[in-house]
Amino acid sequence: MSNVTTATKQGLSLLLAPSLGRGAEDFSVLAANLRMLGYTVLTPEPFGMDVSDNLADATLETLGQHLLDAAPQDGSGLVVIGHAFGNWVARMAAVLSPERVAAVVLLAAARQVIPTDIKPSIDGSFNPALGDSERLQHLQRAYFAPGNDAGAWLHGWHPSMAAGQRAAAARSDRSHWWHAGGVVPILDVQAAEDAIAPASEAMELRTELGARVTNITIENAGHALLPEQPAEVAEAIDAFVRRLESRKNVS
C-alpha cells in the first residue's frame, strides 16, 4: 500500500455503512488498513442494530441521517462509503448533507433490481432455520467468488434488521437518492465475480451519471468483497481520495 500522511487528508473522514442485515464488524480489516494509511475511519452500527431503534416507520432517510449523526459535527468533510445495501444509505447521506459529503464510495453496489435467480440464496444466507451447510451453499453462491471462504460470513447476520432495512428502502423514492445528490464524485468499486451486481453491469452507473463516476473492478471477489479483498479495496479508496485532494489543491 502507498504511504500517505494524515496531513494530505485536509480534514476528510471516512464514514462507512455496512451491507444488508450486517454490522460494522464487517469493516474491521478494511478500517484497520485505511487507518494505517492515515485516515480517520468511522464505522457506526447501522440504524436498527440497537433495540431502541424503531425500524417500523423508518425510511432510507432515517438510515442516512443516523449514519451522518455518527460523524463529528465540526464541519469536516466526509467520504461516505457504503457496502452493498449500504451504498443506498451512502447515497442518501450525500443527498441529506451535501455541504458535508465530499464524495461517495460504492462497494459492490447493490442494484435496484437484483437478479431473480439469486434472491433465494440471498434470503437463505441469513435464514436461521437452515443448517450451516445449507447456508454456506447459499453464501457461496450469492456472495463469494469461487474458491473464497464463505464461512467468513456464516455469522454476523441480523435477519429482523435486514427486513426492516428492506422496508425502509421501499418507503423511499428512488429518484430522491439514486443520484447521490447530483454533484459529488462517486467511486464505484465492482467485484469481478459478483452474482448480485454482475460485472456485465459494471458501467451502468457511469453511463447514467457520467464523468463524476469512477469505476474500478476488484478481481477474485464476489458481492461480499470485504472479507475477500480488503487490501485491494483500501488501495482503491486511498487512490480515489488522493485524486480528490489533488484536484482540490490545483483548484
Side-chain angles (χ1 to χ4, degrees):
M1 290 188 186
S2 57
N3 182 19
V4 182
T5 64
T6 306
T8 67
K9 307 305 188 299
Q10 297 189 9
L12 284 177
S13 296
L14 309 185
L15 180 61
L16 281 61
S19 183
L20 181 77
R22 297 192 62 82
E25 65 180 343
D26 279 357
F27 291 122
S28 58
V29 178
L30 175 63
N33 287 343
L34 291 168
R35 289 180 180 122
M36 287 176 61
L37 291 169
Y39 291 98
T40 297
V41 183
L42 309 169
T43 58
E45 294 291 3
F47 187 83
M49 182 70 82
D50 193 292
V51 293
S52 65
D53 295 336
N54 181 14
L55 276 166
D57 299 313
T59 63
L60 204 58
E61 288 87 343
T62 309
L63 310 189
Q65 189 60 55
H66 174 82
L67 181 67
L68 288 166
D69 288 346
Q73 309 297 308
D74 59 4
S76 60
L78 299 171
V79 176
V80 187
I81 301 169
H83 175 225
F85 173 85
N87 97 87
W88 298 358
V89 181
R91 293 194 220 188
M92 179 58 81
V95 172
L96 294 173
S97 192
E99 73 285 355
R100 296 176 66 199
V101 177
V104 174
V105 177
L106 316 179
L107 305 179
R111 306 303 186 193
Q112 185 71 359
V113 179
I114 294 170
T116 303
D117 64 336
I118 207 68
K119 288 182 178 180
S121 284
I122 295 174
D123 294 337
S125 295
F126 55 86
N127 182 351
L130 302 180
D132 286 356
S133 61
E134 186 173 356
R135 287 183 56 225
L136 279 170
Q137 291 178 23
H138 286 304
L139 282 164
Q140 187 68 61
R141 180 167 182 262
Y143 293 102
F144 286 78
N148 292 344
D149 181 15
W153 265 25
L154 187 58
H155 304 290
W157 293 94
H158 304 272
S160 61
M161 183 173 72
Q165 289 171 326
R166 282 173 164 170
R171 296 186 191 103
S172 297
D173 186 346
R174 177 184 184 274
S175 65
H176 181 50
W177 57 266
W178 185 259
H179 296 79
V183 294
V184 300
I186 297 171
L187 174 64
D188 191 359
V189 181
Q190 296 288 327
E193 298 179 76
D194 193 332
I196 294 174
S200 60
E201 300 174 4
M203 297 300 292
E204 178 184 80
L205 199 62
R206 182 176 172 87
T207 299
E208 182 178 352
L209 302 185
R212 60 187 283 236
V213 179
T214 299
N215 284 82
I216 186 169
T217 299
I218 305 292
E219 299 296 330
N220 191 29
H223 199 63
L225 183 57
L226 300 178
E228 296 176 286
Q229 302 296 344
E232 287 77 2
V233 173
E235 289 175 353
I237 293 170
D238 178 46
F240 175 67
V241 175
R242 286 190 288 112
R243 285 196 298 272
L244 290 179
E245 292 304 303
S246 175
R247 291 170 191 165
K248 185 188 299 182
N249 292 334
V250 169
S251 62

